[in-house]
Amino acid sequence: MLSTPTAVFADKIKMQHRLFAELSAMFGREVPLYDKALLVNQVTNETVCALLAQLHRGFTLTAEQLEKTSGERHGAIRIGTREEYRWVSGFFAAFAMLPHNFYDMTSLGGKSQPIIATAFRSPLNPEHRVFCSLLMIDYFAPEVSARVAKLLSRRQIFTDRAKELILKNEQEGGLSEAESEELVREGATRIFKWTGHAHDFQLYKELSDAGFKIAADIACFESHHLNHLTPNTLCMDLYTAAMKYCLGEMDKATFVARAARALTWLRQTGDRDYMKLHFRHLSADDIEAFATGTVSDSAIQDLSTKLADRLSAPDLDLTKLKHSGYKDFTEGPAVDTPILLRQDAYKALTEPVIFHQPDGTTVDAAHTARFGEIEQRFYATTPAGRALYDSALAASEVDRAKDPGLIKRDFAAYDAAYTAAFVAIPKTLPELLAKELVFGRFSPTAKGLAAAGTISTTNIHELVAQGFVRQEGLRYEDFLPFSAAGIFASNLGQYGTQSTAATRPTYSQGLLEEIMGRQIIDPNVLYAGMEAESKLETYAELGLLDKLPASEKKKLESALAAYQALAVV
C-alpha cells in the first residue's frame, strides 16, 4: 500500500550522490583492489594538480574539491529480463537519472555481444551514470533461450518495499528523504550487491565455453551486481602507468620515464580550456585570473620521481592483492585528440562462486567478470565530429591488427602510430569549435556587453576572436559502444559473439523504450539545444538577434525547441 503524498520531497540529485557514495563503499568492501585503484587515482591527480599550479599561478585545489572532481562514478550493470529492466529504470528515475541513448551491442562486428543498453544519468551536468545492459535471450538457439528464461524467471531481485518506493516516486513525483534513504539501502544491500552465489553450473559452463561469458554473468547470478564503478582521472596516461607500476608490470625507471612523458604532454595541453573542462567548479573568470607560469623539464622530472616514490609506499603495493593485470592499451581517441572519452582498466578478477544446483547440491567454482575501469572525459562531438572520429578509429584498428605486439615491444612507436590515425581531427578547442566538430557554450564578455548595439558581425567565431564572446566546450557525458565492447573483450578474453538463433534478430530503440515505459533521450538533442540556447541568449544580449540571417536563427530556434520539448530541462 502506498503511503500518503509527502509535502516535501528529497532533493533527487543530493540523494543521487548518496546512492553512489554508498555503492562506492559497497564495491570497495567487495573488491579491495577498487579502493586501492581510487587511491592511485588520487595520488596521480594530486601530481597533475601540482603541475597545473605551476602552469596557472594562483590555482589551488582543496582535498574536498579534488575528491569531488575525482569522485564522479560511471557504473555498469547487466540485467536479465525485461521486467527487471523496467524496475531498474524506475529505480534510477527516483534519483533523477533518465535513459540516454540506445546502444545496440549486437551490431559491433567482431566485438558484438548479446545485449542492448541505455545509460541512466541526469540530463544536465551529470556526475554519475550507469550503463545498463539487457540480455537478449532470443539471440540464442531456442533450447538455450528456454533454459536461460526459466532460470531468470525464478529470481526476485527487487523486494516488495523497493517496488513500492519506485511506484510512489512515479505516481507522486518524488520521495521523502527517509524513503530515498531506504531506496539507497535497497540498492547497496541487495539490488547491486555481489553475493558470490549463482545457479545452474552446467548452463553457466555451456554459455562460457561457447563464448557467451556476458550471458553467463547475467543469467546465473542472484543480483544485478556492479561490473565496475569507474572514477574520473585528470590524466589517463599518468594513471595507467601508475597502475601498471603498482601492479608490478613496470619497473621504476620505466615508470618515471612514462610519467615524465605524460606530464610533458600535459604541460603542452593543460591550457585554460583544459582547466575549464576538468574543473567544473571554476568559472571562466577564475581561470582567466590565473597568471601564466612555466614548468621546466627538471620540474617534470622531480614530479615524476616524487610520484614514483609515493607509489612505492607499502600501502600501494598492489602486487600483494589478487589481480589479473592491466589492459594493454587505452580505448578511445589518441592522447592528443580531446574529444569524447578515453577508457582503460585493470582486468577482471577471478572470484570464488558457489553454484546451487537444481538437485540441491552445490558446486564450488570461480567467475571472472568484475573489473576496474577508469575514464577521462573530453568534448562532445557533433554528428560530423563523431563521423570523423569513427573513421579515424577504424583506421587505428586496422593498423593495430597489423602488429598487435608492438605496444609491448615499443610503447613510443605504438603511441606514435595510434596518434597518426587521428591526425585529421583538430587538437584544440578553438579549432574543433570553428569546424563545428564539437558542441560549445557561448556567453558575452564584459567587453561585448559594453559594445552591445555597435557590433556588426554575427559570426560567433569572429565574435570570440574580437573578445566580445567567451566560449567553452561541452563535455561528453555518454558512452562509446565500441570502446565498451573493447573493455568487455579484453577483460573476458572473448572478442565478440555471433547469434545462434536460426534467424539473427534485430533490435530497436523503440523496443527498449517499450520495455522501460519511458522515452530514451537523444544526447545530441541535449548538446545541440544547450549550444543553441547559449548562442541565442548571447546574440540577444549583444543586440544581434535581429541581425542574424533568417536561416541561422531558424536553425537555432529549432534546436532549442527540440531541447525544451524533452521536458527534462
Side-chain angles (χ1 to χ4, degrees):
M1 178 177 180
L2 297 178
S3 57
T4 56
T6 307
V8 178
F9 293 136
D11 183 295
K12 291 186 177 184
I13 299 299
K14 175 184 173 184
M15 298 313 299
Q16 182 187 131
H17 292 321
R18 285 278 301 116
L19 171 65
F20 279 85
E22 287 299 314
L23 291 178
S24 187
M26 175 200 78
F27 201 57
R29 290 189 295 270
E30 294 175 357
V31 185
L33 187 57
Y34 166 78
D35 267 354
K36 290 298 185 181
L38 293 184
L39 181 55
V40 172
N41 190 41
Q42 175 189 326
V43 169
T44 55
N45 282 348
E46 286 170 352
T47 299
V48 168
C49 289
L51 181 141
L52 294 173
Q54 295 181 48
L55 273 183
H56 303 275
R57 295 201 303 269
F59 167 67
T60 59
L61 205 66
T62 66
E64 182 180 356
Q65 288 170 331
L66 180 58
E67 170 58 29
K68 184 171 176 58
T69 297
S70 308
E72 298 181 17
R73 294 291 182 269
H74 143 212
I77 56 175
R78 299 166 183 165
I79 311 300
T81 72
R82 298 182 180 199
E83 181 185 8
E84 290 173 347
Y85 206 93
R86 190 180 185 94
W87 285 115
V88 163
S89 71
F91 176 92
F92 286 119
F95 300 97
M97 301 175 71
L98 304 178
H100 287 67
N101 228 332
F102 171 69
Y103 302 92
D104 183 359
M105 305 294 282
T106 70
S107 301
L108 295 175
K111 293 186 178 180
S112 294
Q113 300 292 344
I115 53 179
I116 61 174
T118 190
F120 294 96
R121 68 169 173 92
S122 299
L124 300 181
N125 302 316
E127 295 186 25
H128 311 294
R129 351 170 153 67
V130 176
F131 188 81
C132 190
S133 306
L134 174 62
L135 179 64
M136 304 314 294
I137 298 174
D138 60 351
Y139 192 84
F140 305 103
E143 186 269 338
V144 175
S145 294
R147 292 171 66 191
V148 170
K150 182 178 180 180
L151 184 58
L152 286 171
S153 69
R154 296 172 179 169
R155 72 180 185 186
Q156 293 295 324
I157 291 175
F158 288 84
T159 65
D160 290 342
R161 180 55 176 164
K163 292 179 179 180
E164 183 180 335
L165 292 170
I166 290 167
L167 289 174
K168 181 177 189 295
N169 175 71
E170 291 180 350
Q171 294 171 8
E172 299 182 15
L175 299 172
S176 70
E177 192 155 322
E179 290 166 334
S180 294
E181 287 282 1
E182 276 192 84
L183 201 53
V184 167
R185 286 195 297 274
E186 289 279 345
T189 63
R190 182 181 175 89
I191 300 170
F192 306 119
K193 183 175 176 58
W194 171 260
T195 68
H197 291 267
H199 296 267
D200 198 338
F201 181 71
Q202 187 62 32
L203 177 60
Y204 172 87
K205 192 172 187 310
E206 288 178 21
L207 288 171
S208 297
D209 290 348
F212 296 110
K213 292 183 179 179
I214 284 180
D217 179 59
I218 297 171
C220 298
F221 284 77
E222 295 182 339
S223 70
H224 303 316
H225 49 266
L226 286 168
N227 290 108
H228 61 82
L229 198 57
T230 304
N232 185 39
T233 189
L234 300 176
C235 183
M236 176 62 74
D237 287 2
L238 187 64
Y239 171 85
T240 293
M243 281 296 292
K244 290 184 176 181
Y245 175 54
C246 292
L247 289 167
E249 297 182 359
M250 184 182 292
D251 62 35
K252 190 170 185 178
T254 302
F255 168 73
V256 170
R258 191 77 65 84
R261 177 188 178 93
L263 292 175
T264 299
W265 177 251
L266 185 61
R267 177 176 61 183
Q268 298 174 239
T269 58
D271 57 12
R272 291 176 175 177
D273 292 326
Y274 170 98
M275 297 293 286
K276 184 58 182 168
L277 178 66
H278 289 82
F279 302 102
R280 295 198 288 182
H281 71 284
L282 294 177
S283 69
D285 288 336
D286 291 335
I287 294 169
E288 289 177 6
F290 298 146
T292 301
T294 59
V295 182
S296 66
D297 289 345
S298 61
I300 285 178
Q301 191 65 30
D302 183 55
L303 286 171
S304 302
T305 302
K306 287 181 177 177
L307 177 57
D309 291 340
R310 173 64 187 92
L311 295 172
S312 300
D315 64 332
L316 286 176
D317 182 2
L318 305 189
T319 63
K320 295 180 179 178
L321 294 177
K322 182 174 65 174
H323 71 84
S324 303
Y326 203 85
K327 272 179 87 303
D328 290 335
F329 57 84
T330 299
E331 305 285 346
V335 64
D336 69 343
T337 308
I339 60 172
L340 301 168
L341 76 157
R342 303 180 74 213
Q343 295 172 290
D344 219 325
Y346 63 73
K347 293 181 182 180
L349 304 175
T350 298
E351 301 174 272
V353 176
I354 298 173
F355 279 87
H356 299 266
Q357 298 293 84
D359 62 3
T361 62
T362 61
V363 175
D364 291 331
H367 179 60
T368 304
R370 302 198 296 167
F371 52 92
E373 193 174 84
I374 188 80
E375 68 185 15
Q376 184 178 7
R377 292 187 173 268
F378 299 98
Y379 299 116
T381 52
T382 62
R386 183 56 180 269
L388 193 57
Y389 167 76
D390 288 342
S391 175
L393 183 66
S396 73
E397 288 287 306
V398 171
D399 287 344
R400 181 157 49 208
K402 292 177 182 176
D403 189 358
L406 178 62
I407 191 169
K408 291 187 175 181
R409 292 198 320 274
D410 188 340
F411 176 80
Y414 165 83
D415 199 36
Y418 194 75
T419 300
F422 293 84
V423 68
I425 304 176
K427 308 307 178 187
T428 67
L429 177 62
E431 291 177 287
L432 289 164
L433 286 170
K435 293 188 176 183
E436 298 186 347
L437 296 175
V438 300
F439 292 106
R441 182 184 286 116
F442 302 86
S443 59
T445 62
K447 177 182 176 181
L449 292 173
T454 66
I455 303 171
S456 57
T457 182
T458 60
N459 183 290
I460 197 72
H461 306 297
E462 290 180 12
L463 291 168
V464 170
Q466 294 172 23
F468 296 135
V469 169
R470 176 183 284 150
Q471 66 184 11
E472 64 179 276
L474 293 180
R475 194 178 76 161
Y476 187 63
E477 305 292 2
D478 299 288
F479 295 92
L480 298 178
F482 194 82
S483 291
I487 293 279
F488 289 168
S490 61
N491 278 286
L492 297 174
Q494 173 196 307
Y495 288 82
T497 63
Q498 291 185 348
S499 173
T500 57
T503 302
R504 184 186 180 281
T506 58
Y507 307 102
S508 68
Q509 177 173 317
L511 170 64
L512 195 55
E513 289 177 328
E514 181 183 347
I515 290 168
M516 292 186 292
R518 58 186 82 233
Q519 176 189 5
I520 292 175
I521 296 169
D522 181 349
N524 281 335
V525 174
L526 282 179
Y527 297 132
M530 286 187 277
E531 178 176 280
E533 184 176 51
S534 72
K535 284 183 175 180
L536 288 168
E537 289 176 353
T538 296
Y539 287 132
E541 291 186 65
L542 296 180
L544 294 171
L545 200 53
D546 292 336
K547 297 180 181 179
L548 268 185
S551 60
E552 175 67 10
K553 186 176 181 181
K554 182 178 180 180
K555 177 183 175 183
L556 293 174
E557 290 175 340
S558 177
L560 179 58
Y563 171 63
Q564 293 172 334
L566 294 173
V568 295
V569 297

